[in-house]
Amino acid sequence: MKPLNRLNFSAGPGALPESVLLLAQQSIVEVPGVGLSILGISHRSDWFASVVAELENNIRELLGLSGNYRVLFLQGGATQQFSMVPMTLLRGKTTPADYLHTGYWSGRAIAEAGREGPVRIVWSGEADGFRQLPGDGEPVFSPDAPYLHYVSNETVEGLQFHHVPGRDDVPRVCDMSSDFLSQPCAANRHSLIYAHAQKNIGPAGVTVVVVRDELLQDAPTNLPGFLDYRNHIQSHSNYNTPPVFAIYVVLLISRWLLNEIGGLARMAEINRSKAELLYRLLDNSNDFYRGRIETRDRSLMNVTFDMASPESEKRFLAEAERAGFTGLAGHRSTGGIRASLYNGLTLAAVEQLAGFMEDFQRRYPCA
Ligand SMILES: *Cc1c(COP(=O)(O)O)cnc(C)c1O
């Protein structure tokens, strides 16, 4: 395969490693050892059952999960989990669930939870434009909330928790869509983790859910079948036709993480070097590139910054696009620039972007 001629800095779907793309390409024509295209392999085949089993084991190994967790591969994206979580844990309850309002995506989760039951916003960063997160031990969490919900990495703003919020005696539920498997994540301190694949670990179409058995004990029994986690557990993520191709690509990513990268601690080191390179550049740019986020809470996945004027940002984005750096425009709700540095994006790609940014500042010093 010849190298791609553009580098994907998009906030999602993200870049995937070239070795994985090659294997995915091959599987479209014929899965090695099976003699069929992956697009036509039955989800009831032994081969697919072995894909699900291996992927589940790989995720268990990467996260160091204990035996009382189930690993599921669902559809509907993170957005469906915004509803499925409160349907399961909040319906009919009178005690509110605790939610942290730290940015755009946690706001979306809160709106959906409110349809199912009472919600208490424990802490909100809205008043100061979501530029920081609550400090470790800062918010007062309720001891009798049915659960606490938070978003580990706010993709739009570029905020990331570098500690685990909440109390150990209240179930933690976390949307890890934009930093799942990018670093170790204290999975065993959570009761439910969800993450769609399309940022760090694969294509759109599949969402990983890691759930502790005890959490589902008192779930309502009259949920729609598809929206009841227990049906997916019983059927080994094969309750209806699952997205076979997307799940296979996530398997390839999990093998890449284990065998080529060498685990999540090593992945975290690489991700840290990538982000530090850009943050150092922002900090040394004399406010040419203006980081948005409080240093302590900066995301290793989404580096957000503004420039002096919307015109300079427009010129920056246009020239970056011409130079082969794509997906750098900030979210439609915030504007500005956002460089997303997911697992599949190499350090070399970030070095190239940094080179472009230094050169741009030299060429337009007053922009
Ligand atoms: C992108 C994103 C979502 C939206 O996910 P969908 O799969 O499109 O539903 C939710 N949460 C976070 C943290 C995200 O980054």
Side-chain angles (χ1 to χ4, degrees), residues 59-60 62-66 68-74 77-78 81-82 84-85 89 147-153 164 171-197 201 206-213 215-216 229 264:
I59 289 176
R60 283 182 182 284
L62 285 163
L63 296 178
L65 274 186
S66 47
N68 57 333
Y69 284 86
R70 302 300 125 216
V71 181
L72 302 174
F73 307 106
L74 307 186
Q81 295 306 305
F82 294 163
M84 226 167 136
V85 164
L89 302 176
Y147 63 94
L148 160 73
H149 180 280
Y150 77 105
V151 175
S152 53
N153 184 75
V164 179
R172 283 189 188 86
V173 175
C174 185
D175 176 359
M176 290 194 192
S177 290
S178 54
D179 65 357
F180 191 58
L181 304 186
S182 70
Q183 58 179 12
C185 70
N188 292 309
R189 294 181 64 196
H190 293 77
S191 291
L192 192 150
I193 292 169
Y194 59 93
H196 60 203
I201 58 166
V206 61
T207 300
V208 179
V209 173
V210 173
V211 59
R212 191 185 279 169
D213 288 328
L215 190 72
L216 304 176
Y229 291 112
L264 294 190

Side-chain angles (χ1 to χ4, degrees), residues 15-265:
L16 293 175
E18 217 170 282
S19 61
V20 165
L21 292 179
L22 274 170
L23 292 167
Q25 178 190 45
Q26 183 185 16
S27 78
I28 299 272
V29 181
E30 183 182 336
V31 175
V34 178
L36 284 171
S37 160
I38 189 155
L39 304 181
I41 293 182
S42 169
H43 57 294
R44 302 289 172 203
S45 62
D46 292 344
W47 178 79
F48 183 64
S50 75
V51 165
V52 170
E54 183 190 340
L55 175 53
E56 178 183 326
N57 280 333
N58 288 355
I59 289 176
R60 283 182 182 284
E61 184 177 342
L62 285 163
L63 296 178
L65 274 186
S66 47
N68 57 333
Y69 284 86
R70 302 300 125 216
V71 181
L72 302 174
F73 307 106
L74 307 186
Q75 298 184 66
T79 301
Q80 172 144 295
Q81 295 306 305
F82 294 163
S83 305
M84 226 167 136
V85 164
M87 270 183 189
T88 310
L89 302 176
L90 195 55
R91 190 171 279 190
K93 294 264 166 44
T94 50
T95 316
D98 277 355
Y99 273 71
L100 290 174
H101 190 198
T102 50
Y104 178 86
W105 288 115
S106 53
R108 296 276 301 262
I110 288 165
E112 293 298 328
R115 298 170 191 267
E116 288 293 340
V119 168
R120 186 175 77 103
I121 311 285
V122 187
W123 184 94
S124 174
E126 192 168 21
D128 78 348
F130 299 121
R131 281 161 202 277
Q132 56 180 326
L133 294 173
D136 199 356
E138 186 189 331
V140 181
F141 297 98
S142 164
D144 39 42
Y147 63 94
L148 160 73
H149 180 280
Y150 77 105
V151 175
S152 53
N153 184 75
E154 285 281 9
T155 323
V156 169
E157 291 78 8
L159 288 156
Q160 186 175 31
F161 277 95
H162 300 295
H163 66 275
V164 179
R167 310 166 52 105
D168 285 333
D169 56 355
V170 169
R172 283 189 188 86
V173 175
C174 185
D175 176 359
M176 290 194 192
S177 290
S178 54
D179 65 357
F180 191 58
L181 304 186
S182 70
Q183 58 179 12
C185 70
N188 292 309
R189 294 181 64 196
H190 293 77
S191 291
L192 192 150
I193 292 169
Y194 59 93
H196 60 203
Q198 68 264 29
K199 281 162 192 156
N200 270 306
I201 58 166
V206 61
T207 300
V208 179
V209 173
V210 173
V211 59
R212 191 185 279 169
D213 288 328
E214 303 90 276
L215 190 72
L216 304 176
Q217 269 163 10
D218 303 320
T221 50
N222 59 348
L223 295 170
F226 188 81
L227 303 179
D228 191 329
Y229 291 112
R230 290 166 296 201
N231 287 331
H232 296 283
I233 292 173
Q234 265 162 26
S235 61
H236 299 279
S237 301
N238 215 329
Y239 181 67
N240 69 324
T241 316
V244 171
F245 178 68
I247 292 173
Y248 178 65
V249 177
V250 179
L251 171 66
L252 296 176
I253 289 287
S254 71
R255 288 179 183 161
W256 173 81
L257 282 168
L258 283 166
N259 306 326
E260 285 184 54
I261 298 296
L264 294 190

